[in-house]
């Protein structure tokens, strides 16, 4: 049960990615070579938020269709993004995806607060 729970509450190797509270390295898409954020443009923030799974699993034993993620890059200005797409509003949030290959959701946008959150576990860090 602990191993099962641990994969849903994934903790990222923060010392490698955070410097002065911000993203130390470039943030990139997992699927294509697109840059999502340049170094130093987002602030590390812990907030628990359930994101829909990136890959659909048709197995009836899968359980939840969401993954509870707690490590995010907080982006206050949507123009800080190099390359990101926004979904239509769904219950007060818009989901974020790579604008080039449309993989996602990689995070979410709070429509009331006008703040974006990119899940550290759903992107790559550094140069390819």
């Amino acid at each position: 049960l602990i191993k099962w729970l641990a994969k849903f509450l994934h903790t990222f190797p923060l010392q490698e990615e955070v410097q002065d509270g911000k993203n130390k390295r470039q943030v990139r898409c997992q699927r294509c070579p697109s840059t999502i954020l340049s170094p130093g443009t987002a602030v590390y923030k812990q907030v628990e938020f359930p994101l829909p799974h990136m890959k659909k699993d048709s197995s009836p034993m899968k359980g939840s269709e969401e993954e509870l993620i707690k490590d995010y890059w907080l982006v206050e200005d949507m123009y800080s993004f190099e390359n990101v797409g926004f979904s239509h509003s769904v219950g007060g949030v818009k989901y974020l995806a790579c604008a080039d290959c449309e993989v996602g959701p990689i995070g979410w946008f709070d429509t009331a607060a006008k703040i974006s959150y990119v899940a550290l576990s759903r992107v790559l860090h550094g140069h390819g």
Side-chain angles (χ1 to χ4, degrees):
L1 178 63
I2 292 172
K3 285 183 182 179
W4 179 84
L5 202 58
K7 77 177 182 185
F8 290 104
L9 295 174
H10 175 70
T11 301
F12 210 78
L14 298 175
Q15 68 280 4
E16 296 175 21
E17 305 306 335
V18 180
Q19 184 173 14
D20 299 326
K22 295 188 174 195
N23 60 309
K24 183 176 176 178
R25 302 189 295 170
Q26 179 184 53
V27 175
R28 299 180 300 110
C29 178
Q30 286 184 349
R31 185 189 295 166
C32 75
S34 293
T35 298
I36 294 169
L37 290 165
S38 295
T41 56
V43 176
Y44 173 71
K45 178 82 173 171
Q46 277 196 332
V47 57
E48 288 190 358
F49 189 84
L51 282 179
H53 286 288
M54 290 175 73
K55 296 175 183 163
K56 295 288 183 197
D57 187 343
S58 58
S59 167
M61 300 301 288
K62 183 64 177 174
S64 174
E65 298 210 1
E66 296 178 331
E67 176 184 13
L68 187 61
I69 299 174
K70 68 174 187 171
D71 295 318
Y72 288 92
W73 292 121
L74 183 147
V75 181
E76 291 186 6
D77 182 356
M78 64 190 285
Y79 296 107
S80 295
F81 286 109
E82 296 291 322
N83 191 6
V84 77
F86 293 79
S87 73
H88 293 289
S89 290
V90 180
V93 301
K94 293 182 179 191
Y95 293 107
L96 308 180
C98 173
D100 282 341
C101 71
E102 299 181 355
V103 71
I106 60 169
W108 57 286
F109 175 74
D110 182 332
T111 58
K114 305 279 191 248
I115 295 175
S116 300
Y117 298 85
V118 176
L120 273 71
S121 61
R122 301 235 176 145
V123 292
L124 298 176
H125 297 84
H127 297 287

